[in-house]
Amino acid sequence: LPQDEIEEAKAIYLKKHPGAFWVQFSDFNWFRMEVQDVRFVGGFARAGSITAEEYTAAKPDPISEFGGHIAAHMNDDHMESTIAMIAHQIPGLDVEEAIITSVDSLGMYVKVTRTPRASDQPQQFKIRLPFPRPAADRKDVKNVIVEMTQAAASSSASKDE
């Protein structure tokens, strides 16, 4: 970047990454990307392309800014609710631990730990726990999670009868 744009770029970067002390180092460089096309490779059977126009028009997920705080709160105070939501959405998947790693407007990624019935070795893997509808803001995420937890509790109660 030209020198006159570096301070603005630094301020934007530090807002997103407040602990990024390395931006003060003299050998830290700033670059501007001029996107021509994007090829996404996300792992097994997950790949795709978008145009530069689609990339430029894309907006960050509105929940991503505070999704980490929601995940931390759920992990600290409501892990049993996360486990119940998983059991409700994926019958037969009995997990011992469920750590939400990220939250966005469409759902949550959760790292689960389970010990299969035929084994004594625990397994860990990530799953996607989708919301029943897109969440628009922090209050909506709370409402959706409460609804999912209530649905899981109701389903569990009816199985116990």
Side-chain angles (χ1 to χ4, degrees):
L1 287 179
Q3 192 62 38
D4 61 330
E5 296 179 29
I6 289 177
E7 287 307 313
E8 181 182 0
K10 191 183 295 186
I12 292 168
Y13 189 84
L14 286 170
K15 182 177 180 192
K16 177 78 174 166
H17 308 283
F21 60 89
W22 50 85
V23 301
Q24 307 303 334
F25 295 164
S26 62
D27 62 347
F28 190 84
N29 294 305
W30 298 91
F31 299 93
R32 174 180 291 113
M33 292 187 342
E34 294 182 14
V35 177
Q36 296 175 343
D37 58 351
V38 176
R39 179 83 175 139
F40 171 78
V41 180
F44 182 74
R46 290 186 59 209
S49 297
I50 62 172
T51 66
E53 292 77 22
E54 291 169 318
Y55 178 81
T56 302
K59 301 288 183 233
D61 188 286
I63 307 304
S64 65
E65 187 173 329
F66 51 83
H69 297 292
I70 294 170
H73 169 70
M74 289 296 294
N75 293 336
D76 291 345
D77 298 336
H78 304 289
M79 186 179 299
E80 67 285 347
S81 295
T82 306
I83 291 171
M85 288 185 278
I86 292 168
H88 177 66
Q89 288 198 17
I90 310 171
L93 180 61
D94 299 320
V95 302
E96 298 145 14
E97 183 179 61
I99 299 172
I100 300 171
T101 59
S102 65
V103 179
D104 58 56
S105 63
L106 301 177
M108 305 178 271
Y109 281 102
V110 184
K111 182 178 78 172
V112 300
T113 302
R114 74 170 188 155
T115 303
R117 292 181 187 100
S119 174
D120 61 352
Q121 297 296 313
Q123 298 174 330
Q124 284 189 334
F125 51 93
K126 273 190 177 180
I127 63 169
R128 178 73 175 168
L129 196 56
F131 290 158
R133 66 178 188 286
D137 54 31
R138 186 184 297 261
K139 185 176 189 289
D140 201 23
V141 172
K142 179 181 180 182
N143 292 340
V144 169
I145 290 174
V146 167
E147 290 167 19
M148 292 171 68
T149 301
Q150 290 171 341
S154 173
S155 174
S156 177
S158 65
K159 287 179 188 174
D160 293 341
E161 293 176 356

